[in-house]
Amino acid sequence: MSTPASSTGASGRTRHRTHHRPVLYSAEKFEREEAAHASARILLMRGRGTDEQMTERLVSFTDDYGIEMLAELWSHASAHSLPGALWRMYWLRDVVHRSPRGVSRAFELGMAEDYRSHVVAGVPDPPSADEVVRTIDEILAGLYTGDMDIAMERCAAFAHVVALGIRTDYARSAGQDGAVPGSHEVKREAVERRARLPRQAQQMEQIAHDLEAVAAQLRAVEASQQVNGGSG
């Protein structure tokens, strides 16, 4: 919040100046950010280069402990940070595992709109429910077994194709609310489902954008390290 102050200029008119109170940074917020970054670094450091069984345990972490634990650690972190990227990747995996048929349908609709992203994501054609589950787990495992930027790019492509599929589904269902067979309750649920589609598509597209940004950051850091190492 700011406090106004006044002074008289050469013209005799009163001029108002605004003094801004100093911003007080929350120590608790700073500590949460530090904990998010530290836990993300530790997880990757311990997970990379380990055996296949450990990788599977890390990928399926939320199956045993719930997505809420990771939400507490990382959901508040910047979208363009390492913990923010990890949170989005694990969150997307949770969505796929909870609704594999819905995701596979959206992916199938979306891959016709962007074949390149379909190839980058690496989901087989046709993208069955089992295949989208297997692929998202494979993508997440890439954080620990391969290049992190590639894993993030694949996850971004996956989310992008799903977003396109959701938009296609929304466009195709326009004007069909009254044509849904069944009881009033079934029709109401269909209308509510359709109303959620634009927001779901936007959320998926934002995740794709954020993951691409972090992947680019990782590549830039690696390139800088290579240049500095070569000049040393």
Side-chain angles (χ1 to χ4, degrees), residues 11 22 35 64 75 94 110 129 131 149 196 213:
S11 63
D64 298 323
S75 64
D94 186 66
E131 291 293 356
D149 62 319
R196 291 193 296 267

Side-chain angles (χ1 to χ4, degrees), residues 147-180:
D147 296 325
M148 287 189 291
D149 62 319
I150 293 178
M152 291 180 186
E153 281 190 332
R154 288 187 66 191
C155 200
F158 188 106
H160 177 62
V161 173
V162 172
L164 289 175
I166 294 173
R167 288 198 175 98
T168 299
D169 187 18
Y170 181 75
R172 289 183 179 180
S173 63
Q176 296 181 1
D177 295 338
V180 176

Side-chain angles (χ1 to χ4, degrees), residues 17-220:
R17 295 175 299 177
T18 300
H19 299 288
H20 294 279
R21 294 177 181 174
V23 178
L24 301 179
Y25 291 95
S26 166
E28 181 181 356
K29 182 178 179 180
F30 177 78
E31 290 173 358
R32 289 185 69 192
E33 286 290 327
E34 284 291 299
H37 283 265
S39 60
R41 289 193 299 268
I42 291 171
L43 181 71
L44 290 172
M45 181 177 64
R46 293 183 176 178
R48 291 180 64 80
T50 57
D51 57 39
E52 184 177 347
Q53 186 177 10
M54 176 58 73
T55 299
E56 291 177 357
R57 288 174 59 189
L58 290 171
V59 168
S60 62
F61 180 87
T62 56
D63 294 345
D64 298 323
Y65 301 101
I67 195 70
E68 296 79 14
M69 179 175 289
L70 295 186
E72 181 68 24
L73 282 173
W74 297 335
S75 64
H76 61 277
S78 167
H80 294 178
S81 67
L82 183 58
L86 292 182
W87 162 243
R88 281 154 180 78
M89 293 179 75
Y90 272 96
W91 179 87
L92 183 57
R93 178 188 180 273
D94 186 66
V95 169
V96 174
H97 276 251
R98 283 189 290 106
S99 184
R101 291 184 179 179
V103 172
S104 66
R105 181 175 185 275
F107 198 97
E108 186 168 14
L109 291 173
M111 71 185 194
E113 304 294 325
D114 188 346
Y115 183 76
R116 179 188 175 277
S117 292
H118 164 219
V119 172
V120 172
V123 180
D125 185 7
S128 67
D130 289 341
E131 291 293 356
V132 294
V133 168
R134 183 192 63 79
T135 302
I136 198 65
D137 283 358
E138 177 188 281
I139 290 173
L140 205 58
L143 288 171
Y144 308 105
T145 61
D147 296 325
M148 287 189 291
D149 62 319
I150 293 178
M152 291 180 186
E153 281 190 332
R154 288 187 66 191
C155 200
F158 188 106
H160 177 62
V161 173
V162 172
L164 289 175
I166 294 173
R167 288 198 175 98
T168 299
D169 187 18
Y170 181 75
R172 289 183 179 180
S173 63
Q176 296 181 1
D177 295 338
V180 176
S183 65
H184 174 75
E185 183 69 20
V186 170
K187 292 181 179 181
R188 184 180 63 81
E189 289 179 359
V191 171
E192 291 177 350
R193 172 189 171 279
R194 185 175 184 276
R196 291 193 296 267
L197 293 179
R199 182 178 178 277
Q200 291 172 352
Q202 183 179 13
Q203 187 175 25
M204 284 290 177
E205 198 60 65
Q206 187 62 52
I207 286 174
H209 172 76
D210 294 336
L211 290 175
E212 286 172 353
V214 178
Q217 290 175 12
L218 292 176
R219 286 194 299 271

